[in-house]
Amino acid sequence: MELRQLTFAMAVAEAGSFTAAARRCHLSQSALSTQIAQLEAELGVRLFDRTTRRVVLTEAGRLFLPTACRIVELADELRAQMSAHAAGALRTLRVGSTQTATRVLDLPAVLGNLRRRHPGARITMTAGPSTELLGAVADGSLDIALAGAVSPPPDPRLVFHPLSSPEPLVAIAPAATSRAETGSATLAELAASGPFIEFHAGSQLRTTVDALFRDAGLHREIIFELGQITDVARCAAQGLGTAVVPRAFTDGLDLVDAVILEIEDRPALTIGAHTRRSDRTAMVGAVLELFDNPGSR
């Protein structure tokens, strides 16, 4: 089965005529008929019913056509990607990332590997809250936003690609917190442990943490609102208050009168890439491939 035979079959299905399809494919009608016959023989089915007035798809043909179209489409995408790569013409990749995504995905390492694999590429990166980044992808200002999953999806033009296992949220709390010795705490115990240190309002992490306590019918006092999650974690590690952060931000913390606790409801963030549904550029595909194949990083 050859790619051109799939293309010929698509042309016949669209034109509804071997004569019109032959003109479109720049073939004689007999040559086109021969190619379709060879394809049908290889597949072991008849793709078209031929009448004196029109050619129509058989049941097998209707099953065949969508997959054939997708194969041809993928082949066209592959040609475009390889042509761009060979010409050193992979365009700029504009990346946006939240603080959590940058830490969880080890984004500098991923982008460094992308640069080594595509030395002609230009990569730009910006950090910000997920709402701003997703809006920038939707309007075309960014190619890809690395952030947590959002439910419901904020824009029908966007598609989400999960890139890691769910990232647990953990608590950094005063060592005197009830049941601290067990290594875990409930939301109610955390709310009772004292004032809270939080990431700034409007961020996805803050929205998630607020929802956890609100849905549990719990109030917490907030004394610090900071712009960096690392600062949130470090302040909590010094015993200045309780914080709920992604586990990745607790690595290497110097704990002073504080402990790291699992939250019994086990909340987590799913980190991934938000792209436009219509975007199939080579650079976006290249960065997603790195995440799909961790061994290539």
Side-chain angles (χ1 to χ4, degrees), residues 12-294:
V12 173
E14 183 175 349
S17 160
F18 274 77
T19 302
R23 285 197 300 268
R24 182 180 301 180
C25 296
H26 306 290
L27 291 175
S28 67
Q29 182 174 336
S30 61
L32 179 63
S33 297
T34 298
Q35 290 294 325
I36 296 299
Q38 290 175 352
L39 177 60
E40 290 176 323
E42 182 174 351
L43 295 174
V45 296
R46 193 160 45 85
L47 299 175
F48 299 97
D49 280 328
R50 300 154 175 85
T51 69
T52 55
R53 300 181 61 184
R54 187 167 177 80
V55 176
V56 296
L57 287 165
T58 63
E59 182 179 353
R62 290 192 295 273
L63 179 64
F64 161 90
L65 189 62
T67 302
C69 290
R70 183 58 182 150
I71 291 171
V72 172
E73 182 180 78
L74 288 172
D76 289 340
E77 290 178 20
L78 181 60
R79 289 193 193 97
Q81 288 176 1
M82 294 302 99
S83 295
H85 178 70
L90 285 173
R91 67 176 179 84
T92 296
L93 177 71
R94 301 164 300 173
V95 181
S97 182
T98 63
Q99 294 179 37
T100 299
T102 298
R103 177 69 70 95
V104 171
L105 299 176
D106 193 8
L107 187 57
V110 172
L111 295 183
N113 194 29
L114 182 69
R115 171 63 62 81
R116 287 186 287 275
R117 294 179 65 176
H118 302 282
R122 181 171 181 265
I123 303 169
T124 67
M125 180 177 167
T126 185
S130 60
T131 50
E132 292 182 10
L133 298 179
L134 269 59
V137 173
D139 68 23
S141 302
L142 289 176
D143 298 305
I144 185 170
L146 301 169
V150 179
S151 182
D155 192 304
R157 294 171 293 177
L158 301 182
V159 61
F160 179 71
H161 315 266
L163 298 179
S164 69
S165 301
E167 175 68 10
L169 296 179
V170 299
I172 307 170
T177 300
S178 172
R179 292 206 302 131
E181 70 281 357
T182 68
S184 66
T186 65
L187 290 174
E189 289 167 337
L190 293 176
S193 66
F196 271 70
I197 303 167
E198 293 289 351
F199 196 30
H200 63 79
S203 65
Q204 186 177 15
L205 176 59
R206 175 64 178 276
T207 299
T208 299
V209 175
D210 284 348
L212 286 174
F213 286 91
R214 183 184 64 247
D215 294 347
L218 298 170
H219 170 76
R220 71 198 192 284
E221 178 190 2
I222 298 172
I223 56 171
F224 289 4
E225 286 187 313
L226 305 177
Q228 298 292 322
I229 303 176
T230 51
D231 291 340
V232 172
R234 290 174 60 197
C235 286
Q238 292 297 312
L240 296 174
T242 297
V244 175
V245 298
R247 190 199 300 275
F249 287 90
T250 65
D251 293 341
L253 271 182
D254 182 18
L255 298 171
V256 179
D257 293 327
V259 292
I260 297 171
L261 302 174
E262 300 287 340
I263 301 173
E264 291 194 354
D265 292 334
R266 299 194 178 278
L269 297 175
T270 299
I271 306 300
H274 299 263
T275 65
R276 289 182 297 280
R277 290 185 183 276
S278 58
D279 197 343
R280 295 175 180 171
T281 61
M283 285 300 288
V284 169
V287 73
L288 292 178
E289 181 184 0
L290 289 178
F291 288 112
D292 287 339
N293 299 281

